[in-house]
Amino acid sequence: MGFKLLSAIVLVFSALHATRAGLIKRVACDDGVHSVTNAACCALFPIIDDIQENLFDGGECGEEVHESLRLTFHDAIGFSKTAGGGGADGSIITFDDVETAFHANGGIDEIVNVQKPFIARHNITAGDFIQLAGAVGVSNCLGAPRLPFFLGRPTATAASPPGLVPEPFDSVDTILARFDDAGFSPVEVVWLLISHTIAAADLVDPTIPGTPFDSTPGVFDTQFFVETQLKGTLFPGTGSNEGEVQSPLAGEIRLQSDHLLARDPRTACEWQSFANNQARLQNRFIAAMQKLSVLGHDQSTLTDCSDVIPIPKPLTTQVAHFPAGLSVQDVEQACTTAAFPTLSSDPGPATSVPPVPPS
């Protein structure tokens, strides 16, 4: 099936789903406050209240949101058509003594340890909680889409096999092969990396913890796809900055994998397509995260509880732009079929991007 046809089908399906949702009779929850399309979803509201108040500090888009979104991926990508693994089954928490020791999961033990008490005090599996927390967390970020959530993942029965989580210093060939083995095409890899618009790194270069991937880590916008296309210097060899590219923006980190995917002919044009298209950014991320969140499961056996996820606040004024002191002259053009979009540059001298504060 061609990519354009697939995209059209995704958009039509989303529109039909929204229309149908407006016609389905809603069920009032016992709390007298909420209503849902499936009564089984009512039990999630106390969990969401707990998540928002005690995990995300009252509904912030900060470090715990970044880490919770990262955890959705690191748990789910533990799936292989050849090596096995349960996918989005919560094994990264259920078998945390095994999986947090994987090199690619460095630092993930912190959010695992933060989330474990929430799971212990609620009637929910680790697989469901990880994906619920990720979707709720994203909803706190200005400009984000409302992500789908499905309930009913069973408890994981085994740890993920090692070596299934891609690393930032892997080659593009290695990364795309790993994702293909998990069922994702090259363009879907780009869709998943939209998550980096609200991300920061602590351990890629441990000398600069909390370093964001773009200049607006608390906003779900297209700046990540603008700024990764600016010319940068690739660090050779190994060391504390292995997997890192020197960005032209002070205080910003760029992963080697992002740098190379933005310039590879298999992914460059899809990467550039997000540089100034907020709507496209949102709907492709919805499609990618829905697929990721049910990896290893038959979606038809799960309950659609997407209507419990809070509706994010939309962007109203911010548009894609070049940071101060930079312009289209600083773009390293990689897509051969379309020019980089015309963007304005921020006024004033170049400034430094502040780190994401720890929670």
Side-chain angles (χ1 to χ4, degrees), residues 253-300:
I253 195 170
R254 185 186 304 170
L255 299 183
Q256 174 183 305
S257 50
D258 289 341
H259 179 87
L260 297 177
L261 285 162
R263 289 154 177 79
D264 189 275
R266 291 164 288 187
T267 48
C269 289
E270 187 65 17
W271 197 280
Q272 181 178 288
S273 74
F274 294 116
N276 66 340
N277 194 329
Q278 180 75 9
R280 180 180 174 86
L281 189 82
Q282 292 175 323
N283 64 49
R284 296 304 189 271
F285 193 58
I286 290 171
M289 286 301 294
Q290 177 165 333
K291 183 172 180 176
L292 180 77
S293 71
V294 297
L295 200 61
H297 304 280
D298 179 352
Q299 184 177 307
S300 68

Side-chain angles (χ1 to χ4, degrees), residues 189-214:
V189 173
V190 179
W191 298 0
L192 286 170
L193 288 171
I194 293 170
S195 63
H196 285 182
T197 185
I198 50 170
D202 286 329
L203 296 180
V204 173
D205 187 341
T207 65
I208 48 172
T211 308
F213 293 162
D214 74 358

